[in-house]
Amino acid sequence: MKRNPKRLSTLYICSLFIFLFSSIHAQINKDHTTTSKLTKVEQANSLFKAWNSVDSGGAAIAVIKNGKVVFSNAYGSANLEYNIPNTTNTIFHAASLSKQFTAYAILLLEKEGKLSLDDDIRTYIPEVPNFGKKITLRHLASHTSGIRDQWRLLYLAGWKKDDVILNQDILDLVSKQNSLNFDPGTKLSYSNTGFTLLAEVVARVSGQSFAEYTKDNIFVPLEMSNSQFYDDYEKIVKNRAYSYKNKENIIKKSKLSFSTVGATNLFTTVHDLCKWAIYLNTPTPESKGIITKMNQQAYLNNGQITEAAMGQWTGVKYKGLEWFDHTGSDASFRAYFSRFPEHNSAVVILANTTPIRASTLALKTADIFLNEYYKSESKGKAKKSKNEKRIKKSIKLSKNQMSKFCGKYWEPKEWYDREIKIVNDTLIYYRSKESQTKLLPISNNEFKMLADTNDVSVIFEENENNEKVMRLNINSNQNIEFLKYNPFDISEYTGNFGSEELNSSIQLYNDNNSVFIKLFKRDPIKLKAIKKDVFTSSNRHFKKIEFLRNPNGVISGFLVSNGGIASLKYDKN
């Protein structure tokens, strides 16, 4: 349920993922060339041929062009045990597509004069702690509140996605938090918690459950007869899809039984979402004010504009078109909703199997039917990148000279790894098995990345703390510093640790010269030692572990940080 990386606004992220985007766009162009002799419907169906079988989960998709559905189809099975196929009327769990409906519900109440976006959340939910900073409903709806993400908190507290999780369980966790990730309005950071809190506000202000309010005020008026917020996991929903994962070529069920709403748990169909897209694209006089507010990009306190609208992402054009979109992901359900208001067009996909990349398939399908609306990009002779021009300055280094640069490096801001290797007398910048780049030496410690559209220098040196680092200089104006892993004694990083904010405990132990975390009934999590008192792991919930010491230098606890939590404290028991 995380935000799609391609929608992040910073140059930092864009530079890191440029290789991925280039390959995707190249593949899209290749697909269009090879399928040009097929009809548009045939081209679209060919994208889903891997799931056009009763023996796998699949998807339903619909494309709107100029206010009309010009293509819709379904693939795979809604229920593999009974061979029930997906149809365009199959009801899917739509995960985070829920958020735009939650935002709209809040705006309806504001229009009625029952609340204001600038109200303090504690006005309606006093259980939210007083962090010393005002958190408004607007902050919650634009991912700028600083409140820790509910799914990360629940994981650390021992909950699983297939547990029965209610909104009250999340409120209980929030009420125990001692701090925020950042001051409200100072950063943009995706937080599901904000939309769970907004759903609770809707319930308390309206006097109805959130499911009842949205039914009466959104789904019934828009004739979205197959849509609802699923707040009771035992409730029977006819014609629903179940989700399936493919694990080592074996298809298995993905359980999902939580009953929390607001951030997630919208049940809907592609045809209902088409009605929603047309409604948002062509607002009535009565709804124009609300939808205009929904579409507005949020600003930070310093005036910086973000790509967060209310329950949507925007601010980046798709092939020249104004663009609003959002993804969804829970269990093995995948969803994507994208609309282009200036042509009253949209594409919607709801899927029930993990291998499906919903956003990629949706946009490829949109390309087939909406291509005539795309605005031509500037053409001209491609210029050589700066690094190609500087190849003449390259020098020859021996394996022995290059070997001192080899090893693993860690980026401490975004918490990800890179590795430097020598392969066939060439230094390699290694991201993964699928993504590697050759480095060309231009001095004894500086290299150029080959086959890159940017001018990227890779420099190996020591920082002011005499630590070995790798610096990436991109286009001479952006620097990224990686810290080289250095071995140290890990024997003292053991014991039992507890968090008052989660009412939970964690065990740390050593095994075969590595530190492991044991959390409840989950499999042990291996930590990677970065430097003294700093660890990371491949588990997204334990991206950064920073140990704390008392005045005598003895470990007293640690802080956990990840994409939804900053510095959650555990004390040593």
Side-chain angles (χ1 to χ4, degrees), residues 403-412 414-420 430-431 460-461 463 466-470 481-490 513-514 526-532 534-539 542-545:
S403 63
K404 62 183 178 181
F405 306 130
C406 293
K408 294 184 177 181
Y409 293 80
W410 177 66
E411 200 287 313
E414 299 293 329
W415 315 326
Y416 60 91
D417 304 285
R418 294 291 182 262
E419 187 171 2
I420 301 298
Y430 186 91
R431 302 175 192 83
F460 298 92
E461 56 189 5
N463 62 17
N466 298 319
E467 297 171 317
K468 291 183 179 180
V469 297
M470 174 177 67
E481 182 175 295
F482 294 80
L483 189 67
K484 191 171 187 179
Y485 286 32
N486 289 308
F488 57 92
D489 183 13
I490 63 169
N513 202 34
S514 294
K526 185 178 180 179
L527 300 184
K528 296 179 183 179
I530 306 300
K531 64 178 183 177
K532 187 175 181 180
V534 178
F535 291 74
T536 186
S537 83
S538 59
N539 183 296
F542 291 95
K543 292 298 292 182
K544 189 176 183 181
I545 308 289

Side-chain angles (χ1 to χ4, degrees), residues 47-48 50-51 56-59 243-252 254 329 331-334 349 351-361:
L47 297 174
F48 295 86
W51 298 282
S56 73
S243 72
Y244 302 94
K245 57 189 175 184
N246 191 325
K247 191 172 183 180
E248 299 176 353
N249 294 321
I250 299 175
I251 297 176
K252 295 185 176 183
S254 290
S329 173
S332 291
F333 289 106
R334 297 294 181 265
I349 184 171
N352 65 327
T353 185
T354 303
I356 285 183
R357 296 179 178 272
S359 58
T360 301
L361 286 170

Side-chain angles (χ1 to χ4, degrees), residues 50 334 363 460 499 514 522 541:
R334 297 294 181 265
L363 292 175
F460 298 92
S499 167
S514 294
R522 293 187 171 90
H541 302 282

Side-chain angles (χ1 to χ4, degrees), residues 1-2 4 58-60 92-98 100 264 266 268-270 273 325-338 347-354 356-360 362:
M1 305 197 301
K2 297 263 311 171
N4 190 325
F92 291 82
H93 172 101
S96 286
L97 300 195
S98 307
Q100 54 199 285
T264 185
L266 170 69
T268 189
T269 67
V270 291
L273 287 177
D325 78 335
H326 209 288
T327 59
S329 173
D330 275 331
S332 291
F333 289 106
R334 297 294 181 265
Y336 184 67
F337 177 89
S338 181
V347 59
V348 179
I349 184 171
L350 297 171
N352 65 327
T353 185
T354 303
I356 285 183
R357 296 179 178 272
S359 58
T360 301

Side-chain angles (χ1 to χ4, degrees), residues 430-442:
Y430 186 91
R431 302 175 192 83
S432 67
K433 291 181 180 179
E434 295 77 27
S435 179
Q436 306 168 30
T437 304
K438 292 180 179 180
L439 300 179
L440 186 74
I442 62 172

